[in-house]
Amino acid sequence: MSFFGLDCVRKKERELERKLRANDREYNLSFKYATNAIKTSKYNFFTFLPLNLFEQFQRIANAYFLFLLVLQVIPAISSLSWFTTVVPLVLVLTVTAAKDATDDINRHRSDNHVNNRKVEVLIDRKLRSEKWMDVQVGDIIKLENNQFVTADLLLLSSSEPLNLVYIETAELDGETNLKVRQALPVTGDLGDDIEKLADFNGEVRCEPPNNRLDRFTGTLTYAGQKYPLDNEKILLRGCTLRNTEWCFGLVLFGGPETKLMQNCGKSTFKRTSIDRLMNVLVLCIFGFLAIMCTILAIGNFFWEMNEGSQFTVFLPRQEGKDAKFSAFLTFWSYVIILNTVVPISLYVSVEIIRLGNSFYIDWDRKMYFARNDTPAEARTTTLNEELGQIKYVFSDKTGTLTQNIMTFNKCSINGKSYGDVYDYTGQRIEITESTDTVDFSFNPLADPRFMFHDHALVEAVKLENPEVHAFFRLLALCHTVMAEEKTEGELLYQAQSPDEGALVTAARNFGFVFRSRTPESVSIMEMGQQRSYELLAILDFNNVRKRMSVIVRSPEGKLSLYCKGADTIIYERLHQSCSKLMDVTTEHLNEFAGEGLRTLALAYKDLDEDYFSQWKQRHHEASTTLDDREDKLDQLYEEIEKDLLLLGATAIEDKLQDGVPHTIEQLSKADVKIWVLTGDKQETAENIGYSCNLLREEMNEVFIISGNSPEDVRQELRNARTSMKPDATEDSMFIPERILSNRVKVITDEVVNGEYGLVINGHSLAYALEHSMELEFLRTACMCKAVICCRVTPLQKAQVVELVKKYKQAVTLAIGDGANDVSMIKAAHIGVGISGQEGMQAVLSSDYSFAQFRFLQRLLLVHGRWSYLRMCKFLRYFFYKNFTFTFVHFWYAFFCGFSAQTVYDEWFITLYNLMYTALPVLGMSLFDQDVNDLWSFQHPQLYMPGQLNLYFSKKAFFKCALHSCYSSLVIFFIPYLAMNDTVRDDGKDVADYQSFALLTQTCLMFAVSIQLGFEMAYWTAVNTFFILGSLAMYFAVTFTMYSNGMFLMLPSAFPFIGTARNSLNQPNIWLTILLTSILCVLPVVTYRFLMIQLCPTINDRVIFKVRQAKAAPPPLPRRARIRRTSSRRSGYAFSHAQGYGDLVTSGRFLRRPAVSRSSGFAHTGRTTTGFSPMGRSAGYSPTGRPQNVKVNDVEVTSLQMYRTMDHTL
């Protein structure tokens, strides 16, 4: 269940067009639109029992056991009491029902939590506080700052100028930067006047409910006029209102019909691959059971025909019952007796094992995140072993791999690199949490959260280095950030991208504080002095330009152009005099990029007043033309953005979550392929890919797929595949896979020489996911070590996951933290939610949750691998012990005239799976481990057998059946031959049926117990107690039930009087037990010895290494941060959006003007810890002084003496 009810409901009749009228519930109700209530629960108080039982008996095994129970109450065919089946059946139904009830109660609570949220609704000309679930289409509702948007709304009016609202869409697309929506002027005039809003009777006609987040079409008819509606006027459910006191909206879509809900993906019942294999095996077992029963029924027929006729003298047949009818009854009798090939206790045990392994995840302190007090949580108990088989991980980026926190990390100014820290010997030291930070106390307007470690940069600012001042002046002026200052000195920046926010915050802390803006000006505080620059033009960013510029006039009248952008773009436009500085800055940029930082180059130029006047006139003409407007504007931008002077470069770190690179490296060693599916732009995603070790410089090639047509995309994919594998053929990639008679294509893994990466953007992915091209895309992507999909919608994320699930024999896992990841999480075999900054939507839809991405390696490499290993061992052993138990019945049938006589005591049959062998196998399945968690991390390759289904498969099952067949032959025939014509030491006969039954079941108990001991790799006190205790329990119960007292109490139920004490005191009985046990385990010991010597597995090699070490593994080496030069740099650091400059200069984006402010700086003497505002830094070129003025020599500080990157130009 999602925080916003991200669960789909049953589809009703297809809607072609939506019609609604404001403030007219009666009219809108006639269309039967969905209300805003959500419902994800399955049951209520009255329907729980019948529905749950109906669902449980849809499982083949449960229906089978119910059928057996019916057979057992028929006296003519039943040789077992009814309680041998009804007790375990009731137990398993009760346990499953209790679990289903608990899950549904949690869903009810989640539903109620969402549905009972409050919102103000305009009803009967008054604002009333109503529950979310009572909101209906056509209602007008009022939202306030920081509230979640209740439903999909048409924005009517707001508290902001020009009826703007600011929204955060993190829940929809993962982006935390603010977006702007604007109401129609005709509805904006309604304001917050309740009377006018109540009289509003506009009619809306719009598209039906759909999942397109980026598109909306409709019309509003009001007062006889028709107005077009688009996405810019719509507030979607899942958004959060920011920096807007209030707004009013008209409900267009509610509950399951909202776009957020339409993107949720289908909720599917998830089952593990072992579950699916078990279903196939159970069907095979049923078939095998039918064959065995048929053989024995035919045997009964011939026995009755030949031998049975001799018994009719003293056992006459009933009227009308001949050999054929006897064979028919015998068939059903053996169905009952041999039903232990699929015992119901198997399913009870599986649920207990899964529950126990889920508790291990919940209790794991190493997956507990103390900072947020968030433990790991297994939200489902049915998928644990699947965690040990993951082949593909699909991850969101923002908030999952990264913290979504941008930090100003380093910079290069005038050829000098800042940001590194050096010791007294001049050696660079690694920055940690304990490293001293720069003291910004000299600046009252500094952001206290900003941290910087290189003291030399603040020294340069205080010493009024002109290039440093120009650098930060550019950062304070060249942006589209909005400033909010509700109280004096407390600034809040609302940036359109977190990168821009980081740059403006850095300038703020170093003394160049952006305070406010109007459409015509930008006000900043420069070194304590309030200055207002006239904003003449914003040359906006787009994906082709990859840069933005502002043209400003300083208070002294100086015209300047400031530009920031991708270094390759800026370098093409620099003046020739910057060549030396370019070389040095390039070295710094390569170093920054090598550390995974996002880089930008900064440049400026002074403009001539006459030239600018002429350019501005041409700019106005171009911006108003109707033909080729964009091209003409681009030409004008190119003309003025040339002969720039380089100032330096910035390096921003999109902070990864702790341990992300190491986790990705470990998973990669485990042959887990990681695909990143993100809504971010391509350059941003690439940078993160490199910084988290997903993409590496050592890769042979990273392919970029960015075609704008199907033909281009297809060709780019083929070119990439040809580069990786020149001799690849078109048809060699498929193997036929038959699953329950449905033939599907499965793409095999193709081996390539080298390592490759693939980056594909959203519009290219849309073509690649088309049916005609999906296999082309999948084949190419699967040949790569890492795949990054950029600008993808929530639905595309799910489509990529579904594509891999459909054509790959692999288990998938999706991990994310926002509502935009919900569809992907639901689509994957395993869904993992990160308890992050984007709410709880992903967590509520997930199967597992924790707080940090780094915990994924522990979830998979430790808990997942152990769970899979334990479950496979459990199944192999369980089938072995039950097949062995059952096959003894089969052999005995040939010696009892096929009469359906049981070879064991009836009580032994009842208690074998419930008491005698239940705890030992559960102990192994809950506590066993081949190596501990530290060795699991040391050798991630241990994870690979799970991906290949090596521990339990059809092959392993049939080997287990053959082993059981051999053991049953030994357990039956050795005691049979040993007791044949045997007498006790006192001369009395010991070869009676009861003594033989006791000996056979005792041999069976010892054989399966010793076999379990060989299966266990990790002995604990609990395991030892369970095995020895079960044997002790067997003897205690046997002697009790075969005692005189029990026989006297209930003779018919306890017929084996005295058998135990009369048989088990004979030495030959114990010798028989010893011989049988040795013969049962001897082939197992021999086979395992030979396999370890001749064909050791990865587990065998690691276990041998562990035993040699006889201690914990050495700690993983601390990964030193590798500094490397890199030819790759970010194309453009901040994820900007085209058109934002127009919003700023038009004034549509602006808030009401703020009150006048004081400078906020204390006027102190000029020292190394304080400064007085110096007027000479203003009114010059951006360097703060004429270029030919010599800077006075200043005393070099101790911090500057040890700079190693000091370049003199």
Side-chain angles (χ1 to χ4, degrees):
M1 164 60 204
S2 155
F3 193 62
F4 291 106
L6 298 184
D7 282 275
C8 296
V9 296
R10 193 164 42 239
K11 289 186 179 179
K12 62 173 185 177
E13 187 178 336
R14 184 173 179 84
E15 185 178 341
L16 300 177
E17 184 185 47
R18 173 142 301 200
K19 303 175 186 176
L20 62 101
R21 186 181 300 156
N23 292 314
D24 193 342
R25 281 195 169 187
E26 185 178 349
Y27 173 80
N28 298 324
L29 284 172
S30 65
F31 296 102
K32 298 181 181 179
Y33 296 139
T35 66
N36 206 41
I38 53 96
K39 179 180 179 296
T40 62
S41 55
K42 294 166 63 177
Y43 315 109
N44 60 35
F45 181 79
F46 299 102
T47 61
F48 173 73
L49 193 60
L51 274 181
N52 189 259
L53 287 175
F54 176 73
E55 288 178 353
Q56 291 203 57
F57 282 116
Q58 285 183 318
R59 297 172 186 167
I60 295 174
N62 287 347
Y64 168 67
F65 293 122
L66 182 63
F67 174 67
L68 280 180
L69 183 59
V70 172
L71 290 181
Q72 282 184 279
V73 297
I74 302 174
I77 60 174
S78 177
S79 56
L80 285 175
S81 300
W82 58 270
F83 58 78
T84 58
T85 298
V86 75
V87 171
L89 179 61
V90 170
L91 179 64
V92 74
L93 292 177
T94 304
V95 170
T96 307
K99 177 177 167 293
D100 290 343
T102 303
D103 291 344
D104 205 57
I105 288 170
N106 290 333
R107 283 192 287 266
H108 273 286
R109 287 174 180 166
S110 297
D111 289 349
N112 292 336
H113 177 72
V114 175
N115 289 334
N116 290 320
R117 286 179 164 273
K118 296 286 188 175
V119 67
E120 289 189 277
V121 184
L122 183 59
I123 300 176
D124 297 332
R125 314 186 78 83
K126 291 181 181 178
L127 280 177
R128 296 181 182 176
S129 181
E130 296 284 337
K131 296 177 180 178
W132 274 27
M133 63 181 178
D134 296 328
V135 173
Q136 297 183 13
V137 171
D139 287 349
I140 293 178
I141 65 174
K142 179 183 180 182
L143 297 175
E144 296 182 343
N145 195 28
N146 296 326
Q147 271 192 334
F148 295 115
V149 178
T150 310
D152 287 358
L153 309 175
L154 168 64
L155 178 62
L156 297 179
S157 61
S158 85
S159 58
E160 302 306 294
L162 299 170
N163 295 298
L164 298 173
V165 297
Y166 307 95
I167 55 171
E168 186 180 275
T169 60
E171 305 296 350
L172 293 172
D173 55 21
E175 297 182 7
T176 53
N177 45 288
L178 294 186
K179 293 181 173 60
V180 182
R181 298 289 183 264
Q182 185 178 27
L184 288 167
V186 66
T187 61
D189 293 340
L190 301 174
D192 59 349
D193 189 323
I194 300 301
E195 292 299 321
K196 289 183 180 179
L197 288 165
D199 290 334
F200 178 69
N201 62 351
E203 291 191 16
V204 174
R205 289 194 170 203
C206 64
E207 62 189 24
N210 61 76
N211 56 33
R212 289 291 300 271
L213 295 173
D214 58 344
R215 180 180 64 84
F216 179 85
T217 55
T219 59
L220 169 67
T221 304
Y222 178 56
Q225 297 291 320
K226 186 177 286 189
Y227 305 91
L229 302 177
D230 58 23
N231 210 41
E232 297 303 310
K233 300 169 181 63
I234 305 300
L235 305 182
L236 299 180
R237 178 172 178 157
C239 298
T240 308
L241 198 64
R242 300 292 191 201
N243 301 331
T244 307
E245 287 184 31
W246 53 262
C247 74
F248 285 88
L250 173 66
V251 177
L252 303 179
F253 303 107
E257 294 177 342
T258 59
K259 288 183 182 284
L260 181 66
M261 300 276 291
Q262 294 284 316
N263 267 286
C264 71
K266 293 185 291 186
S267 292
T268 56
F269 176 67
K270 295 185 178 182
R271 302 167 65 192
T272 67
S273 56
I274 285 183
D275 276 337
R276 292 189 290 272
L277 176 60
M278 281 284 293
N279 275 347
V280 176
L281 295 180
V282 166
L283 290 175
C284 293
I285 291 169
F286 287 161
F288 184 57
L289 175 64
I291 291 171
M292 286 197 297
C293 293
T294 302
I295 291 171
L296 297 178
I298 293 171
N300 177 266
F301 173 78
F302 285 109
W303 190 89
E304 287 287 347
M305 292 290 292
N306 299 319
E307 304 290 335
S309 58
Q310 300 175 19
F311 292 88
T312 55
V313 176
F314 60 91
L315 283 176
R317 291 195 179 105
Q318 295 180 11
E319 192 70 30
K321 294 184 178 178
D322 55 6
K324 291 180 180 178
F325 187 71
S326 175
F328 174 77
L329 294 180
T330 299
F331 176 88
W332 294 111
S333 296
Y334 274 113
V335 167
I336 296 172
I337 290 174
L338 302 180
N339 78 80
T340 47
V341 286
V342 190
I344 196 166
S345 57
L346 169 67
Y347 293 91
V348 179
S349 302
V350 165
E351 290 300 321
I352 293 172
I353 293 165
R354 286 172 171 168
L355 185 64
N357 286 316
S358 298
F359 281 137
Y360 290 152
I361 295 171
D362 294 342
W363 296 338
D364 193 341
R365 292 185 179 180
K366 294 181 181 177
M367 294 173 69
Y368 170 71
F369 192 54
R371 191 185 307 166
N372 294 348
D373 187 29
T374 307
E377 182 183 4
R379 297 176 54 81
T380 181
T381 60
T382 58
L383 303 173
N384 296 331
E385 64 269 17
E386 197 95 315
L387 291 170
Q389 299 180 274
I390 302 298
K391 181 68 175 178
Y392 288 88
V393 170
F394 300 93
S395 175
D396 179 38
K397 181 192 76 68
T398 307
T400 303
L401 299 178
T402 68
Q403 300 179 33
N404 202 26
I405 299 174
M406 307 294 174
T407 57
F408 181 83
N409 200 296
K410 296 181 181 181
C411 63
S412 171
I413 305 176
N414 197 30
K416 194 168 187 175
S417 177
Y418 297 94
D420 287 318
V421 179
Y422 301 85
D423 60 16
Y424 65 93
T425 64
Q427 295 295 315
R428 185 183 298 169
I429 60 176
E430 186 177 353
I431 294 175
T432 63
E433 291 183 2
S434 59
T435 307
D436 289 339
T437 58
V438 171
D439 182 12
F440 290 107
S441 59
F442 70 88
N443 181 358
L445 293 175
D447 186 341
R449 296 167 298 180
F450 180 83
M451 291 172 55
F452 200 75
H453 300 278
D454 188 355
H455 295 262
L457 184 54
V458 79
E459 291 290 323
V461 171
K462 291 178 181 179
L463 294 172
E464 301 194 8
N465 182 306
E467 290 80 15
V468 173
H469 277 208
F471 181 88
F472 286 114
R473 186 179 295 113
L474 186 153
L475 293 182
L477 291 171
C478 186
H479 58 79
T480 57
V481 173
M482 306 300 297
E484 185 177 11
E485 190 169 0
K486 291 189 175 179
T487 59
E488 181 66 29
E490 290 188 14
L491 279 168
L492 177 64
Y493 291 149
Q494 294 296 344
Q496 195 259 341
S497 71
D499 308 65
E500 282 222 290
L503 293 173
V504 176
T505 300
R508 166 186 177 181
N509 276 60
F510 284 102
F512 289 76
V513 186
F514 167 61
R515 296 292 291 269
S516 64
R517 70 160 73 245
T518 70
E520 297 83 24
S521 67
V522 177
S523 297
I524 65 173
M525 186 76 69
E526 282 189 19
M527 307 303 287
Q529 281 193 339
Q530 182 80 28
R531 295 172 58 78
S532 181
Y533 287 79
E534 185 181 355
L535 182 61
L536 300 173
I538 292 182
L539 282 56
D540 203 8
F541 164 87
N542 66 36
N543 285 322
V544 177
R545 284 169 44 77
K546 295 189 177 181
R547 65 190 183 278
M548 74 165 291
S549 301
V550 295
I551 300 174
V552 297
R553 180 180 281 114
S554 71
E556 290 75 18
K558 188 74 173 180
L559 272 177
S560 302
L561 179 145
Y562 293 104
C563 183
K564 66 181 179 185
D567 51 273
T568 52
I569 301 295
I570 299 295
Y571 276 21
E572 294 171 359
R573 290 157 178 78
L574 293 179
H575 193 272
Q576 294 177 353
S577 62
C578 298
S579 57
K580 287 186 178 180
L581 181 57
M582 283 170 59
D583 294 339
V584 178
T585 305
T586 300
E587 289 182 25
H588 296 161
L589 283 167
N590 287 337
E591 183 179 350
F592 299 157
E595 298 174 27
L597 303 178
R598 299 148 68 103
T599 57
L600 274 180
L602 311 184
Y604 76 97
K605 69 182 289 188
D606 294 331
L607 297 175
D608 178 73
E609 191 76 44
D610 294 337
Y611 168 75
F612 177 71
S613 297
Q614 179 214 359
W615 181 89
K616 189 174 183 180
Q617 177 62 32
R618 288 186 290 138
H619 178 268
H620 176 72
E621 293 171 359
S623 62
T624 55
T625 186
L626 297 178
D627 300 325
D628 300 326
R629 179 187 301 174
E630 296 296 329
D631 292 339
K632 291 178 180 178
L633 286 174
D634 282 342
Q635 291 174 9
L636 283 171
Y637 294 167
E638 287 285 342
E639 176 189 320
I640 201 168
E641 291 173 327
K642 64 182 181 182
D643 294 333
L644 303 175
L645 299 177
L646 183 63
L647 276 175
T650 62
I652 293 176
E653 181 181 10
D654 185 358
K655 288 187 83 68
L656 292 171
Q657 290 188 11
D658 296 337
V660 166
H662 178 64
T663 299
I664 288 177
E665 184 181 355
Q666 286 285 91
L667 294 179
S668 181
K669 288 179 181 177
D671 201 28
V672 175
K673 293 189 176 182
I674 299 177
W675 293 21
V676 173
L677 311 178
T678 176
D680 272 351
K681 63 195 293 287
Q682 181 177 315
E683 291 86 350
T684 307
E686 277 188 72
N687 278 324
I688 293 300
Y690 279 99
S691 61
C692 70
N693 281 349
L694 190 63
L695 301 177
R696 295 190 300 278
E697 293 294 335
E698 296 78 25
M699 283 183 166
N700 299 58
E701 191 172 351
V702 176
F703 302 106
I704 308 295
I705 309 298
S706 56
N708 290 311
S709 68
E711 295 75 20
D712 292 344
V713 173
R714 189 186 301 274
Q715 191 58 48
E716 288 176 359
L717 290 170
R718 286 181 176 172
N719 292 342
R721 193 169 67 254
T722 304
S723 298
M724 290 185 282
K725 195 173 182 180
D727 57 342
T729 60
E730 290 301 316
D731 300 322
S732 63
M733 59 179 172
F734 294 118
I735 59 171
E737 174 69 13
R738 187 176 292 278
I739 301 176
L740 296 179
S741 300
N742 293 327
R743 199 172 183 84
V744 297
K745 289 181 177 179
V746 175
I747 295 183
T748 58
D749 289 329
E750 299 181 71
V751 179
V752 295
N753 294 322
E755 291 187 353
Y756 298 88
L758 180 74
V759 178
I760 183 169
N761 58 34
H763 56 264
S764 299
L765 183 64
Y767 295 125
L769 290 175
E770 291 177 357
H771 183 70
S772 61
M773 209 186 304
E774 59 182 12
L775 292 176
E776 192 95 39
F777 164 65
L778 183 61
R779 185 183 178 191
T780 305
C782 289
M783 293 168 74
C784 298
K785 190 74 174 176
V787 177
I788 298 178
C789 302
C790 319
R791 288 296 188 198
V792 294
T793 65
L795 206 58
Q796 280 180 324
K797 291 185 178 185
Q799 288 171 342
V800 172
V801 175
E802 292 285 2
L803 182 64
V804 174
K805 283 176 63 179
K806 183 178 179 181
Y807 292 111
K808 299 291 290 183
Q809 283 183 303
V811 181
T812 59
L813 179 147
I815 179 169
D817 71 322
N820 58 315
D821 304 313
V822 166
S823 55
M824 171 177 74
I825 285 171
K826 288 183 176 180
H829 292 103
I830 302 281
V832 178
I834 299 284
S835 310
Q837 299 181 14
E838 295 186 19
M840 297 292 287
Q841 291 69 34
V843 169
L844 291 169
S845 299
S846 67
D847 305 305
Y848 300 88
S849 68
F850 42 70
Q852 294 277 286
F853 181 83
R854 70 175 187 270
F855 297 146
L856 183 63
Q857 67 170 318
R858 187 167 183 85
L859 183 72
L860 300 187
L861 301 185
V862 178
H863 292 289
R865 197 178 69 83
W866 282 350
S867 295
Y868 174 69
L869 181 68
R870 291 164 179 165
M871 183 61 72
C872 292
K873 280 190 173 185
F874 164 79
L875 291 173
R876 289 201 308 263
Y877 175 74
F878 206 96
F879 281 124
Y880 164 76
K881 76 181 182 69
N882 280 84
F883 281 10
T884 304
F885 175 91
T886 305
F887 287 163
V888 173
H889 277 302
F890 183 77
W891 309 130
Y892 180 64
F894 290 89
F895 294 86
C896 70
F898 306 96
S899 61
Q901 168 72 38
T902 59
V903 70
Y904 311 116
D905 169 28
E906 198 172 88
W907 283 104
F908 180 79
I909 295 173
T910 304
L911 299 176
Y912 177 71
N913 281 311
L914 288 180
M915 182 181 293
Y916 298 151
T917 59
L919 288 179
V921 70
L922 284 178
M924 177 189 71
S925 306
L926 291 174
F927 302 113
D928 197 46
Q929 48 183 262
D930 50 354
V931 295
N932 63 25
D933 55 344
L934 297 178
W935 284 103
S936 296
F937 288 138
Q938 193 85 356
H939 297 279
Q941 300 84 357
L942 287 168
Y943 190 80
M944 294 182 192
Q947 298 170 331
L948 302 173
N949 291 308
L950 295 184
Y951 293 151
F952 188 74
S953 59
K954 293 174 185 175
K955 180 181 177 182
F957 172 77
F958 288 116
K959 283 169 64 178
C960 173
L962 287 174
H963 181 202
S964 300
C965 185
Y966 165 78
S967 295
S968 65
L969 284 168
V970 171
I971 289 170
F972 176 77
F973 283 103
I974 295 296
Y976 178 80
L977 295 173
M979 294 189 71
N980 191 28
D981 298 328
T982 302
V983 295
R984 290 161 45 91
D985 50 10
D986 58 5
K988 294 181 180 179
D989 187 15
V990 75
D992 61 278
Y993 160 72
Q994 293 186 347
S995 298
F996 173 72
L998 175 67
L999 177 57
T1000 306
Q1001 61 198 38
T1002 306
C1003 289
L1004 176 67
M1005 281 297 301
F1006 274 97
V1008 297
S1009 297
I1010 294 170
Q1011 179 66 33
L1012 182 65
F1014 280 116
E1015 290 287 342
M1016 278 198 296
Y1018 184 66
W1019 283 80
T1020 65
V1022 176
N1023 287 349
T1024 307
F1025 173 76
F1026 281 169
I1027 291 178
L1028 297 180
S1030 291
L1031 285 172
M1033 176 70 72
Y1034 164 71
F1035 285 111
V1037 171
T1038 299
F1039 274 101
T1040 301
M1041 290 190 172
Y1042 295 177
S1043 64
N1044 296 356
M1046 298 300 291
F1047 176 77
L1048 293 173
M1049 288 172 57
L1050 203 58
S1052 62
F1054 302 101
F1056 279 52
I1057 179 173
T1059 305
R1061 62 176 181 268
N1062 290 332
S1063 298
L1064 296 178
N1065 62 359
Q1066 299 300 305
N1068 61 335
I1069 296 293
W1070 287 102
L1071 285 172
T1072 303
I1073 294 171
L1074 178 63
L1075 177 62
T1076 305
S1077 301
I1078 291 173
L1079 288 176
C1080 279
V1081 300
L1082 190 61
V1084 178
V1085 175
T1086 305
Y1087 174 77
R1088 292 192 180 183
F1089 174 78
L1090 293 175
M1091 289 299 294
I1092 290 174
Q1093 297 300 316
L1094 302 177
C1095 306
T1097 63
I1098 177 68
N1099 296 64
D1100 296 330
R1101 290 194 290 268
V1102 173
I1103 290 171
F1104 178 73
K1105 188 174 180 180
V1106 171
R1107 287 171 179 166
Q1108 280 189 317
K1110 293 183 180 178
L1116 290 171
R1118 185 178 178 84
R1119 299 177 71 255
R1121 191 158 186 172
I1122 301 171
R1123 294 183 178 272
R1124 50 184 168 79
T1125 57
S1126 169
S1127 59
R1128 176 203 59 79
R1129 295 198 291 272
S1130 70
Y1132 199 62
F1134 48 86
S1135 48
H1136 220 32
Q1138 183 173 358
Y1140 234 63
D1142 294 338
L1143 273 175
V1144 170
T1145 52
S1146 69
R1148 291 198 299 124
F1149 189 84
L1150 301 176
R1151 302 177 60 80
R1152 291 192 173 91
V1155 296
S1156 60
R1157 308 172 182 88
S1158 64
S1159 69
F1161 279 86
H1163 291 250
T1164 60
R1166 182 179 174 188
T1167 66
T1168 56
T1169 58
F1171 61 85
S1172 58
M1174 302 297 289
R1176 65 191 177 95
S1177 66
Y1180 288 85
S1181 68
T1183 56
R1185 62 182 76 246
Q1187 296 294 325
N1188 58 354
V1189 175
K1190 185 175 183 298
V1191 182
N1192 294 331
D1193 292 333
V1194 294
E1195 183 180 354
V1196 179
T1197 66
S1198 59
L1199 285 164
Q1200 289 174 311
M1201 287 173 62
Y1202 300 110
R1203 302 289 299 177
T1204 61
M1205 299 296 289
D1206 190 1
H1207 298 278
T1208 306
L1209 298 179

